[in-house]
Amino acid sequence: MSTLDVGVLVLMHDKEATRQDFIDALGTGVRLHWFHPVSHPLHKPAPWLQPLDLRQVPTLDAMIITGAPIDRLDFSAVHYYSEVTQLLDVLAAHHIPQLNVCWGAEAALHHDFGLHKVALEHKLFGAFRHTALATSALTEQLPAGFVAPHARYSDISVSALEQASGIQLLAVTADNHPLLATSDDGHNTYLFGHLEYRQDGLWAEHARETNGPEPRNNEDVTAYPWQQTRTTFFDAWLSLVSEHKDKFASLTA
């Protein structure tokens, strides 16, 4: 597999932890380009993180939009939501594969399909077992009851995803919260959980949040029940990105 150029729009609070999460999750063979919204200047600038340049986006092989600690706000109240939608439009126009994570998934589904997120009574927070609903390159190598971490205060309901035209729902928790969906054309992946998190990811989030709940099913900070899911998922996603890159190269040769 040739080196892939993957952009990451970093919206998470702890930018350095997010950087290390994705470096670790994506492994070698990937050249990462880190961006923050122009409309959201950094309080602590980092030399590795640059303002989003939409002119650069068409040169990328794929784009990741991370989660953000703002999922209890309406999209209209998020001052950089408009910039995110501009990015989504450029990605769509150039058929660039996307991985939209947690709030990024909700924002993309709202923009692309008009779906609305709903507030959860309690934060969905912990490591949960899942059921695959459909066969997909992203799920076919995962075992029954595979584990993935979730950390959010809102959802797009499973029923809304199932009823929407153009979306395939791939995996849900035992309590019927979505984990993974894709667009029918396969270009867009919507990951509601945080498979990029390293071993201490849930507990690190707990430490940042005042009066937040402790993660369920992850009582021991040294436990890492989603490690194999993480490796399998990101390997599969990068393979799809590589296939898309090769196909596009053959069409333009």
Side-chain angles (χ1 to χ4, degrees):
M1 183 170 69
S2 62
T3 300
L4 298 172
D5 285 288
V6 177
V8 185
L9 183 66
V10 181
L11 304 174
M12 295 288 279
H13 176 75
D14 190 331
K15 307 263 186 295
E16 180 58 35
T18 301
R19 177 175 178 246
Q20 295 302 322
D21 283 341
F22 280 106
I23 288 174
D24 188 67
L26 296 168
T28 59
V30 178
R31 187 164 39 238
L32 293 169
H33 306 261
W34 307 94
F35 303 99
H36 69 85
V38 175
S39 52
H40 189 67
L42 299 177
H43 295 297
K44 296 180 180 179
W48 52 270
L49 191 56
Q50 61 181 308
L52 179 63
D53 184 351
L54 295 177
R55 296 169 299 178
Q56 186 179 347
V57 171
T59 69
L60 301 172
D61 297 312
M63 188 79 191
I64 297 170
I65 300 177
T66 74
I70 52 170
D71 62 315
R72 285 180 282 189
L73 297 176
D74 291 338
F75 293 119
S76 60
V78 177
H79 63 273
Y80 54 76
Y81 175 70
S82 176
E83 189 174 354
V84 171
T85 64
Q86 292 174 47
L87 170 59
L88 292 168
D89 289 341
V90 172
L91 293 169
H94 292 273
H95 306 287
I96 297 172
Q98 308 167 27
L99 173 58
N100 303 301
V101 181
C102 200
W103 181 87
E106 294 179 339
L109 287 163
H110 181 66
H111 177 65
D112 296 344
F113 297 96
L115 300 185
H116 297 279
K117 61 186 177 70
V118 294
L120 296 173
E121 184 176 356
H122 303 287
K123 184 178 185 180
L124 181 64
F125 192 46
F128 302 94
R129 294 194 175 276
H130 294 78
T131 299
L133 302 179
T135 301
S136 161
L138 294 174
T139 59
E140 62 184 4
Q141 298 300 318
L142 294 172
F146 65 90
V147 176
H150 291 258
R152 63 182 183 276
Y153 284 96
S154 62
D155 247 350
I156 290 180
S157 71
V158 164
S159 61
L161 290 164
E162 289 176 331
Q163 293 170 21
S165 176
I167 302 172
Q168 184 177 30
L169 181 61
L170 299 180
V172 297
T173 68
D175 292 335
N176 217 32
H177 295 284
L179 171 70
L180 185 63
T182 60
S183 58
D184 283 350
D185 62 13
H187 288 156
N188 305 340
T189 300
Y190 308 98
L191 175 65
F192 291 87
H194 279 283
L195 279 173
E196 81 279 9
Y197 274 4
R198 288 166 290 165
Q199 182 175 2
D200 65 345
L202 290 173
W203 282 99
E205 177 166 335
H206 172 66
R208 292 193 300 269
E209 186 175 32
T210 304
N211 298 322
E214 292 189 354
R216 293 170 56 192
N217 310 318
N218 190 220
E219 292 80 6
D220 185 349
V221 71
T222 65
Y224 200 178
W226 62 90
Q227 183 176 18
Q228 187 55 52
T229 307
R230 180 186 197 248
T231 299
T232 301
F233 171 79
F234 280 105
D235 284 351
W237 183 71
L238 288 173
S239 292
L240 291 176
V241 172
S242 182
E243 290 173 11
H244 180 272
K245 179 179 180 180
D246 291 345
K247 181 180 179 180
F248 183 79
S250 67
L251 291 174
T252 57

